[in-house]
Structure formats: structure tokens, C-alpha cells
Amino acid sequence: MAIMRAVQKLVYIWALQIGAGKPAPNRFSLSGPRSLANDFYEIHLVEPADPDKNVLVRSLTSHGVEGVYFNATGEPGYDCSVPKASLSGYRFDATHYFRGYSFQTTSPGQFLLSSLPALPRFIIWRDRLEQKRFNRRPLVREDRIDMLRFFLAKTIKNGSFRTTPIGLLEMLYSRRGFLHPERELVTNYYRLMLDSFVATGELLVENHSYRLSPHGVARLAEFELENKRFKESSRQQTLIGWLTIAIVAIGAVQAYVTYLTVP
């Protein structure tokens, strides 16, 4: 057990050394051309009992960690030190910002593995390959009724559900939809559809976000009832058609039998 704890401590210190060697700047870009130059780490030592309380690691000294302590989300932090003997009491949480991507790890061992130069490059290569495959497929557009069903299903799970055309694009096609060649066309299509729902009362718009209205629920129920009646009518028409064919066939057989019995 003592050897295991010593190894864990060594791995912990090693991970902090790598992270402190490339600390994230106070301001940096997560998207756009500037993000392609990213290659740094952001490490937090999180208190297990209260995740809002954490230490942002800035440097590693012979005595321990120098960083910024945050007591709650949204509040300014203040400088602090964490001795090496107390590091095991914190949960390790690190993010590697690399060429427009971010890789999060929650243990020193995972962090050391992800810090290998070949691994993030391989993940980026594979992700871009998957994006190219995704871009070859057209984005299938939902019709009006399917869109109302989508809003109803989401609203049942979350009564305050609302979204924007951009948010709708992500929910329907994942984040890969943002890089698809048809992104603008599909986004405009859904924006027009959502606005048409607002015009007819199925959706309400608040602060550029759309949510389902009671009229939209009633309209969908009305459509489902009409669709059920249509299917029932089609089923009856099909049944009548088969009965007609059967009667004609029986009549033809009877006529043929009669013909055979006539001298």
C-alpha cells in the first residue's frame, strides 16, 4: 500500500509539472483561426465535497502548488498555496486546449496519457475524418408535423424547453451540423418554419427563443386524430376492394361451373 501511494503521488506531481509548464493564459479563443494556435493546460484542484470550490493551478514549487482559489462560481478568486501533503485531498480536473479542440481528464494518469503528442493529433485526425464523412451526407429536413412532435417530446421532458434555430441544428444533427456545407440553408429553413409556427399560433417566441404553445399541442392532437381517421378509412377502402375482388372471383367461378353443367 505504501508503494502504491508513493507511485500515485509521483504520478500526481508529474502531471502537475506538465500542466504548470504550459498554463492557460487569462484570455484565449476557443473557436476561429486564433484557436488553432492553442496548446496549453488548465488544471483545477477541486474539493470533492463542494465542486464550486477549487484551485486553478498556476505553478508548481518545491513546497506545493501556487494558484488561484475560487470559493464559488462567478466570484473572483484570490492567490493561495496548496502544500504537497494536501494534494491528495483534491480531485484532479484538467483540460488540454489544443488546435481548436479541448481534451478533459479527471485523473493524473489520464492526463499523462492525453499529454502524449501523438494522442491528441490522432483524435483530431479521426474527428476531422468523421466530419468529412458527415459532410458528404445531406441534412434531412424535418417536416412541420415532425417538428411539432419534436417540440412536444422535449417539452414533456422539460416543461420550460425552448430553443433557437441554431440550437435546433445542434439537437437534430449534433455539433457536426455547424461545419456542414448546408448549415446556412438548413438553419434558414428551420428559422422560416419556426416563424410560420409563431404566425399560426403553434409556437411562442420569447427573447429569440421558441417554445411550444397550448395551441400547438391541440393542433398536433387534431392532426393525429385526422391521421388516425384517414388510416382507418384507407383500411376500410382496402378491405372493400378485396371483398369486391373476392365477390367477382366467386361469381366467375359460379359462372364457369354453370357453363360446364350446361349440355
Side-chain angles (χ1 to χ4, degrees):
M1 292 296 293
I3 296 177
M4 182 64 67
R5 285 195 296 267
V7 171
Q8 290 176 346
K9 184 178 180 180
L10 179 63
V11 170
Y12 207 119
I13 297 299
W14 189 10
L16 290 174
Q17 285 177 339
I18 295 176
K22 291 182 179 180
N26 292 331
R27 292 184 178 180
F28 55 90
S29 178
L30 293 175
S31 60
R34 295 180 60 186
S35 67
L36 299 178
N38 291 348
D39 186 12
F40 39 75
Y41 303 98
E42 186 176 273
I43 298 180
H44 291 264
L45 304 180
V46 183
E47 294 187 9
D50 189 351
D52 289 336
K53 298 179 179 180
N54 63 89
V55 177
L56 174 61
V57 176
R58 286 304 185 192
S59 62
L60 181 67
T61 67
S62 59
H63 302 288
V65 167
E66 299 292 330
V68 182
Y69 180 75
F70 295 95
N71 190 37
T73 303
E75 293 187 4
Y78 54 88
D79 295 339
C80 71
S81 299
V82 180
K84 289 184 178 181
S86 302
L87 291 177
S88 59
Y90 292 88
R91 181 169 56 83
F92 186 92
D93 189 359
T95 304
H96 182 194
Y97 298 98
F98 184 71
R99 296 186 179 180
Y101 289 76
S102 60
F103 304 92
Q104 187 173 15
T105 52
T106 56
S107 74
Q110 290 179 347
F111 176 80
L112 292 178
L113 182 63
S114 67
S115 66
L116 296 175
L119 184 59
R121 287 178 171 82
F122 170 75
I123 295 175
I124 292 174
W125 172 81
R126 186 182 62 181
D127 181 72
R128 288 175 177 172
L129 180 61
E130 290 296 327
Q131 184 68 50
K132 288 182 180 179
R133 292 176 179 173
F134 180 82
N135 289 349
R136 293 193 190 103
R137 303 194 302 266
L139 298 180
V140 180
R141 304 176 188 180
E142 303 288 343
D143 60 27
R144 287 177 59 85
I145 294 301
D146 286 337
M147 186 54 57
L148 275 182
R149 291 193 181 108
F150 174 84
F151 267 87
L152 179 60
K154 291 293 185 180
T155 305
I156 290 175
K157 294 180 179 179
N158 178 11
S160 60
F161 171 77
R162 61 192 64 205
T163 188
T164 63
I166 296 296
L168 197 60
L169 181 73
E170 180 179 0
M171 284 185 284
L172 293 176
Y173 309 108
S174 78
R175 295 182 65 86
R176 296 195 184 278
F178 295 143
L179 298 177
H180 196 280
E182 298 179 359
R183 179 181 66 88
E184 290 293 336
L185 294 176
V186 174
T187 302
N188 291 335
Y189 168 79
Y190 284 121
R191 182 178 289 109
L192 291 173
M193 178 184 290
L194 296 179
D195 287 339
S196 71
F197 280 136
V198 173
T200 53
E202 283 87 3
L203 295 182
L204 300 175
V205 59
E206 298 174 353
N207 298 324
H208 306 290
S209 296
Y210 300 81
R211 67 180 179 88
L212 187 65
S213 71
H215 178 68
V217 178
R219 176 69 185 91
L220 184 58
E222 179 183 346
F223 171 81
E224 297 291 359
L225 180 60
E226 291 177 355
N227 191 43
K228 182 178 180 180
R229 289 174 177 172
F230 174 77
K231 289 182 179 180
E232 181 64 23
S233 176
S234 298
R235 190 184 68 83
Q236 292 178 357
Q237 292 296 329
T238 302
L239 181 60
I240 291 173
W242 281 111
L243 288 175
T244 302
I245 293 175
I247 292 173
V248 171
I250 293 173
V253 171
Q254 290 178 339
Y256 181 70
V257 172
T258 302
Y259 170 79
L260 293 178
T261 57
V262 175

